[in-house]
Structures are given as C-alpha cells and as structure tokens.
C-alpha cells in the first residue's frame, strides 16, 4: 500500500535583512521551549544595541536560505551566549537546519499578517474563513509568541466560537499540515475525548477491527498531562516512532498499526495550541472539536467512532452537555466529509485496573489473552466500541458488530493480529503476567468499612503522574477496588508504584491529602449515563 501525502503550500519568505552588522554566529542553546521559537542575544551584543531590540520582542532570523520568527530573550551570561553570537532554542535551531557557528542575520520582525484578525477576535467579533486560515497558518509557522497564542486561545474560549467558526478553524488546521490519502473508500478510526485514566481501548479496538479486515491506521499522541497516552502504552510493547513509509507497509500487510503521530506532521497548528491550552486547563468545546477532527481528517480517516465519557469527574458531567457536544462534532464532521458515530459511555471511574504505561499494557494483554484476571470493564467497553467501528462495514448489519468483535477476541484472532503488529513495529520484551513495575510501593487503604461510592478520575491520574508516569513507564496506580465494591476498614484500595524515592513521596503526600476514593452506602453509588 502506498499512502499519498499532500504537503501544505509554503508561503514565500520575507526579504533577507543581510546588512553586515546583523551577521552573528548561531549557537544552539540546549533549552526545550516547547513549541515556541526563542532567540537569545547578549546584552552587550552590538546588534542588540544598534537595532533597539527589547526582551520578548519578535525577531526574524535568516540563515542558509531559511528563516524563522522567534521571541527574543536577553541574557547577561557569556556561558549561555556570547556578545557575537545568536542563541536559538532547540526547536528553533532545528528548523533552520544549520550547524553551530553558521552565520545568520537577525532583524526586527514585522507583526504576523493575521494580527488584525486576532485583535478583532479579542474584541468579540465573529471571524471569517479567511481570518481563521491566516491565523492558523501563522500559528503553524511559529509566527505567534506564547503571549499571542494565549490571547487567541482565551478569546476563543471566552466568547466561544459558533459552529461555523469551529468548522472554519478545523478546516484551516487541516490545510496547514500534511494530509494522508490511503486510496481506500473506508478508513476507520476511534477516539476518546479524554479525561478517564486507564481507558486503553484503542489498543484492543485496533487489532479486533484489523482482524475483521478494515483499514485502521491508528496514529496516537503521547500523554501531556495524563499518566499515559496510547503511544506511551504501546511503546511498552513495540516501537512507535516509525517513518511514514514504514507505517504504510505495516498497514498494507496487517490492516492496522498503533504508532505515535508526531512524525507525520498532521495538523501542526494543533500541537502548538495545545502547548498553551493544557497549562491553562482550557479545553473549550470548539477548540476540542477542531483539535480532534482536524487530526482525523488529516490522517486520511473517512469514518470515526467518538467516545464521550460522562461522569462526576469526567470532562463532560451531564447528558445535556454531552448531547450539545455531540451535535457540534456531528455538524463539523459532516462539513468536513467525515462519517461520525458518537458513543456516550460511562465515565464515573477509571477504565481497567492499571493507570500508567506498564500497568495499562498489562491490562490490554490480559484482555487479548482472555485471561480470567482481565478487567471486565475494559473488555466490554472495547468490544462495544470495536463493534460500532465494524458496523461501518456495509456488509455488517446494525447491531451485529458487538457479536463479531467478541468472536474475534474470544477466538484469539485479535491477539494474533496484535502480536503481528507488535513484531512489525519492532517488538520489545514484555511479560504481562509479571510486568516490571516500580519497586517502590505503598498502599492507600479504606478509612472505614462500606462501599466504594466514588472514584475521582482527576485525583487518581494526578497521583499516578506524581509517581512518575508516563515518563517512568513502570510507575503508576494499580486499582484494587472499583465502584460498588464492598471494602473493610483498612483494606487496600489501590497500590502506588514508583521507581524513585522523591516520586513516591510526592504521590504519598497527594494521596494523603485526598485518596480519590469515597466510601459510603450502596445506595450512594452514582448511576451511569450510558447511551450505547
């Protein structure tokens, strides 16, 4: 199978300001500024004084026929950058593609072309398709500073986007990056809006659906604020950072893959926006829809099953809220030519028993192996979602998908397909029966006898992150009880694994302030809002 890649049309660079006094030697400054280009000039630099630069102003850097825009930082330490040098952060340096010491020119940058549209949005105006196209191109090309990005994110969150603006934003995000074409009429995907620890259903849905014969090229993200993403968990089992040509070959042979999507450069503006949305904890419906659907359309998907969990500590906490979000997703998907099936699921608690890459990989393999100790909630949810994807097959009657998915899992065909994908991507040794977990542990116990009436998704995820997940794959939280379970006073509710004493102590302190569990009477367990 050959996947066709459509590249965005680059805009021409501005004129190179190569005046003699602006030539400086480039220096790679080993600082990760996370999706922002940052330049460093010494306060004693002649160019800094002559050009009238100020800290946090925007500068334009040219070298070897390439150019970038960057936010200026001023330094006083020769160890960071000398007075005859121009320092660049990791991402900025990589974009220019030159060696240390290469001569570069630097000058005051003109404001991004879309700044007028941004100011209008800040004033509460409705923007046009062309406005969003201009803003998103500037964002994708790193023409916006973090301050300007924050202004755009907050403006869209505060005044909210109407549904046509959400479509304009989604379309613009697709247009500024690569777009894949698998040359098949049915290319499926499955996505969850997030917020539920565990919930590693994609690693089960992909082998089930691929074994059915449908094309399922799954590219996933790494965790940013969660204890594990699909790519983090799959990386416990196999390599996930693969070139696009290699992925296409795996998809051709096995009808599916489970890989990190970062190398594909799909909807790159979304990655930049996430760098400010996540620290601000802003995840407005419009921005969520544009983020998810732009990635799916860019990846070449034609059909998508979308999981919206509802629960007291989920992203979506009521059925009316879920239905409003469903309608917005359906409107934009229809405008983008994407067939969408929205599934509302139980988000009252984590899905599966493990929270953290190794623990979640253990749960996935237990389900695939039909192990009696496999978490049943993970198995049942994965089967329901896989069934809905299978029902995109025109030869499958509505309602038959669940039974087909169950037969594929029970027969071992899903396990065989997963093992084949793991081998093709580059297998890593993993023993799901005796997984290598963080050796430092402590247990959180029930303060009283009763029934588990509540599990705080956010707090359990936070404790797992403090224990080291996902950067330390062996770290995380192993849940020993779920909603409705009867527990005795002093019975362990969950076990925390860490590899470093500091991480263990951070997690211990967080669980001491709030365990994330509520113990009460059986009639206090909240009912699920589920619409399968």
């Amino acid at each position: 199978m050959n996947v066709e890649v459509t590249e965005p049309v680059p805009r021409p660079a501005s004129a190179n300001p190569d005046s003699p006094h602006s030539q400086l030697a480039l220096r790679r400054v080993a600082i990760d500024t996370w999706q922002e280009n940052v330049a460093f000039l010494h306060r004693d630099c002649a160019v800094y004084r002559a050009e009238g630069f100020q800290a946090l102003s925007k500068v334009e850097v040219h070298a070897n026929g390439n150019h970038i825009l960057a936010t200026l930082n001023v330094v006083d330490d020769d160890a960071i950058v000398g007075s005859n040098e121009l320092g660049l952060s990791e991402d900025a340096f990589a974009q220019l593609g030159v060696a240390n010491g290469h001569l570069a020119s630097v000058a005051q940058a003109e404001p991004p072309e879309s700044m007028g549209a941004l100011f209008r949005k800040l004033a509460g105006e409705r923007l046009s398709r062309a406005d969003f196209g201009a803003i998103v191109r500037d964002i994708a090309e790193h023409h916006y500073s973090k301050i300007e990005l924050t202004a755009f994110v907050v403006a869209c969150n505060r005044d909210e986007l109407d549904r046509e603006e959400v479509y304009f934003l989604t379309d613009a995000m697709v247009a500024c990056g690569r777009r894949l074409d698998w040359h098949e009429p049915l290319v499926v995907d499955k996505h969850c809006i997030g917020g539920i620890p565990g919930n590693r259903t994609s690693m089960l849905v992909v082998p089930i659906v691929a074994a059915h014969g449908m094309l399922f090229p799954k590219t996933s993200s790494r965790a940013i604020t969660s204890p594990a993403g699909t790519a983090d968990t799959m990386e416990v089992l196999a390599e996930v950072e693969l070139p696009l040509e290699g992925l296409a070959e795996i998809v051709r042979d096995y009808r599916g893959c489970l890989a990190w999507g970062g190398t594909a450069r799909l909807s790159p503006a979304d990655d930049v926006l996430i760098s400010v949305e996540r620290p601000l904890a802003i995840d407005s419906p419009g921005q969520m829809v544009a983020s998810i659907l732009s990635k799916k359309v860019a990846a070449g998907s034609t059909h998508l099953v979308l999981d919206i969990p509802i629960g007291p500590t989920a992203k979506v906490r009521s059925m009316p809220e879920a239905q409003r979000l469903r309608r917005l997703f359906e409107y934009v998907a229809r405008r983008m030519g994407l067939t969408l099936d929205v599934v509302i699921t139980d988000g009252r608690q984590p899905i599966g028993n493990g929270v953290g890459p190794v623990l979640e990989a253990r749960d996935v393999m237990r389900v695939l192996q039909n192990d009696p100790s496999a978490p049943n909630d993970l198995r049942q949810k994965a089967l329901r979602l896989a069934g809905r994807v299978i029902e995109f097959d025109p030869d499958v009657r509505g309602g038959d998908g669940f039974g087909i998915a169950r037969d594929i899992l029970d027969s071992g065909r899903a396990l065989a397909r997963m093992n084949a994908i793991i081998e093709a991507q580059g297998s890593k040794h993993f023993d799901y029966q005796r997984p290598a977990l963080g050796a430092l542990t402590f247990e959180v116990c029930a303060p009283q006898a009763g029934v588990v009436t509540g599990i705080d998704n956010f707090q359990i995820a936070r404790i797992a992150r403090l224990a080291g997940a996902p950067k330390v794959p062996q770290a995380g939280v192993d849940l020993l009880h779920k909603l409705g379970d009867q527990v005795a006073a002093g019975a362990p509710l969950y076990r925390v694994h860490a590899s470093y004493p500091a991480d263990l102590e951070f997690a211990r302190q967080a669980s001491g302030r709030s365990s994330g569990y509520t113990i009460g009477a059986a009639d206090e367990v909240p009912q699920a809002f589920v619409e399968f």
Side-chain angles (χ1 to χ4, degrees), residues 186-190 204-216 303-305 341 343 381-410 413-414:
L186 192 63
V187 181
V188 299
D189 205 341
K190 168 262 160 194
L204 297 165
V205 175
V206 169
I208 291 170
V209 173
H212 179 67
M214 302 171 77
L215 194 72
F216 201 152
H303 294 69
L304 172 67
V305 166
D341 181 15
V343 184
K381 182 172 183 178
L383 286 174
R384 290 185 181 277
L385 293 172
R388 296 289 278 260
V389 177
I390 288 171
E391 287 172 14
F392 285 137
D393 184 343
D395 294 329
V396 174
R397 292 185 305 175
D400 287 351
F402 182 89
I404 294 171
R406 184 185 57 210
D407 290 344
I408 292 171
L409 180 60
D410 290 346
R413 291 165 56 202

Side-chain angles (χ1 to χ4, degrees), residues 345-499:
T345 61
D346 184 358
R348 295 173 299 163
Q349 62 180 334
I351 302 295
N353 297 331
V355 181
V358 168
L359 287 163
E360 293 178 30
R362 177 203 65 187
D363 286 353
V364 167
M365 295 311 296
R366 282 178 174 174
V367 173
L368 287 170
Q369 295 276 358
N370 293 303
D371 190 302
S373 63
N376 191 54
D377 58 348
L378 179 62
R379 171 188 163 90
Q380 293 301 316
K381 182 172 183 178
L383 286 174
R384 290 185 181 277
L385 293 172
R388 296 289 278 260
V389 177
I390 288 171
E391 287 172 14
F392 285 137
D393 184 343
D395 294 329
V396 174
R397 292 185 305 175
D400 287 351
F402 182 89
I404 294 171
R406 184 185 57 210
D407 290 344
I408 292 171
L409 180 60
D410 290 346
S411 68
R413 291 165 56 202
L415 174 62
R417 185 57 54 99
M418 183 61 155
N419 285 336
I421 292 172
I422 288 171
E423 287 297 323
Q425 290 188 199
S427 176
K428 298 181 179 181
H429 174 72
F430 180 74
D431 184 349
Y432 82 94
Q433 294 177 317
R434 289 177 293 276
L437 295 170
L440 305 178
T441 68
F442 69 88
E443 292 180 342
V444 174
C445 300
Q448 64 193 51
V451 172
V452 177
T453 60
I455 302 179
D456 187 327
N457 288 305
F458 176 81
Q459 182 65 1
I460 294 299
R462 182 169 182 268
I463 292 168
R465 290 198 310 272
L466 290 171
K471 288 186 178 180
V472 181
Q474 299 82 6
V477 173
D478 200 4
L479 303 174
L480 306 177
H481 287 286
K482 304 295 280 288
L483 284 178
D485 286 358
Q486 186 85 34
V487 295
L493 299 171
Y494 57 86
R495 183 178 299 112
V496 177
H497 290 268
S499 295

